Amino acid sequence: MSTEFHIRAQDSGADGPYVLDIDPDRAGWGHSSLRVLQLPPGGRHTFTTGDSEWIVLPLNGGCTVTTGDAEPDQGAGPAQDPELGQRFQLTGRKDVFSGVTDFAYVPRDAEVEISSAAGGRFALTGARCSRRLPARYGPASGVPVELRGTGNCSRQVNNFGAAGVFECDKLIAVEVLTPGGNWSSYPPHKHDECRPGEESELEEIYYFEIAPAQAPTSGHTPDPAPTGLGYQRVTPSGNGRGTDVLAEVRSGDAVLIPDGWHGPSIAAPGHDMYYLNVMAGPGDERAWLICDHPDHGWIRDTWPGQPVDPRLPLYDAPAGDPR
């Protein structure tokens, strides 16, 4: 099994403010990107979007996202004149296990500044694209929260950038939260070939964070809390690069999936698992169409007879836009 597809946090090789920086050239594919930006209190970072569209997603903390030359007195709202640029204030969240967050979409061929008074960590999910869509604010209250699977396959999906939920040209992005001891991305599935109406061709990045240990019944957290871990499996599908991965993942790690059956994503008992999925591909239709592994797809037929894990949702969907 190859380790080239598992990028460990301590070996990310990122430069400057990015603690993780994956672009198509590094991944050896054509579309999907992910950057994780760490800002100190009062920090700011400017970047050019180039040939990609991006969603700025707070992982912890809040920030201000400015495109172009936004007027300084705009406050939380976007500029009325798109030629002046736009500014979006993101409330953000304490961490990925505490709630859904708001986010900002910025188009290709734009200059963007991200600043944060209190500091924080922010994911930039990107995809090479053709169309230049307008910059927009995505409220937390507009993020559909889905409970998928049942029993020990139960997980929570925050569909903030899913196809059919939020308009992008190529980019698809969602968050998945898996309670400790459960399997998600299961049954194993793939999306590495174009079969109209049945399967999309999508490259995918998994970015992981693992919650500190907590005993599920007493709520007692060991002091100090042990570092958590999880596992990600990818097996060859006969297409593309023959991706074959069995990775022990920890907070800040990423797994690249250019092709292959991916799953399960396994959360260790006592440690909830978060992962951010970033997907894009060459197809004209922006759609997440998957094919289950023929040896394991039967597990879906057992779900109707089981309850959803009572630990889900890990947090409630927001009632409204906090601004």
Side-chain angles (χ1 to χ4, degrees):
M1 285 174 287
S2 174
T3 59
E4 66 177 299
F5 303 107
H6 178 200
I7 301 174
R8 294 176 175 82
Q10 66 269 28
D11 301 324
S12 68
D15 295 323
Y18 299 124
V19 295
L20 181 69
D21 190 356
I22 299 167
D23 62 18
D25 291 337
R26 177 174 186 181
W29 56 36
H31 299 87
S32 300
S33 296
L34 174 65
R35 299 170 179 170
V36 177
L37 173 68
Q38 183 79 44
L39 287 179
R44 61 184 63 242
H45 173 66
T46 300
F47 72 100
T48 301
T49 59
D51 62 1
S52 297
E53 58 186 347
W54 299 85
I55 285 179
V56 180
L57 181 80
L59 298 174
N60 77 278
C63 66
T64 300
V65 179
T66 306
T67 67
D69 300 319
E71 293 179 334
D73 59 350
Q74 287 172 227
Q80 299 302 309
D81 184 349
E83 295 302 317
L84 294 176
Q86 295 181 302
R87 175 177 289 111
F88 308 102
Q89 292 186 355
L90 305 186
T91 301
R93 54 189 165 183
K94 177 184 175 182
D95 57 50
V96 298
F97 298 101
S98 64
V100 177
T101 184
D102 51 357
F103 59 93
Y105 172 93
V106 293
R108 59 168 292 160
D109 303 316
E111 189 85 5
V112 179
E113 180 185 82
I114 302 173
S115 59
S116 178
R121 195 170 67 260
F122 310 96
L124 282 62
T125 66
R128 283 179 174 161
C129 64
S130 301
R131 291 190 299 153
R132 191 175 192 270
L133 300 175
R136 279 160 290 141
Y137 174 78
S141 59
V143 176
V145 175
E146 172 190 1
L147 299 185
R148 189 176 297 171
T150 61
N152 59 6
C153 290
S154 303
R155 61 270 203 183
Q156 174 178 333
V157 184
N158 300 336
N159 288 300
F160 71 96
V165 172
F166 187 86
E167 185 184 12
C168 299
D169 185 30
K170 296 289 187 182
L171 177 64
I172 298 173
V174 302
E175 301 178 304
V176 181
L177 296 114
T178 307
N182 284 9
W183 285 23
S184 58
S185 279
Y186 198 78
H189 59 278
K190 74 180 185 75
H191 40 69
D192 58 13
E193 58 182 325
C194 179
R195 296 185 296 130
E198 297 184 33
E199 184 178 351
S200 309
E201 183 180 352
L202 297 168
E203 312 150 348
E204 186 162 16
I205 302 168
Y206 275 54
Y207 167 78
F208 295 89
E209 295 198 6
I210 311 296
Q214 184 175 46
T217 53
S218 68
H220 172 70
T221 301
D223 187 18
T227 301
L229 56 83
Y231 292 89
Q232 176 67 42
R233 184 72 170 111
V234 186
T235 54
S237 65
N239 297 319
R241 294 153 66 173
T243 306
D244 192 353
V245 178
L246 175 56
E248 180 181 291
V249 294
R250 298 176 183 271
S251 287
D253 285 8
V255 172
L256 309 180
I257 305 175
D259 50 69
W261 305 101
H262 42 290
S265 303
I266 303 172
H271 294 276
D272 295 339
M273 170 190 279
Y274 164 95
Y275 53 85
L276 171 62
N277 290 145
V278 183
M279 292 168 276
D284 292 333
E285 181 186 12
R286 177 175 171 253
W288 183 69
L289 300 177
I290 65 170
C291 174
D292 283 342
H293 194 294
D295 292 345
H296 305 287
W298 62 268
I299 195 68
R300 291 189 189 273
D301 296 333
T302 71
W303 290 351
Q306 302 181 64
V308 173
D309 190 314
R311 294 173 290 178
L312 291 175
L314 292 185
Y315 43 75
D316 293 330
D321 187 346
R323 294 188 308 169

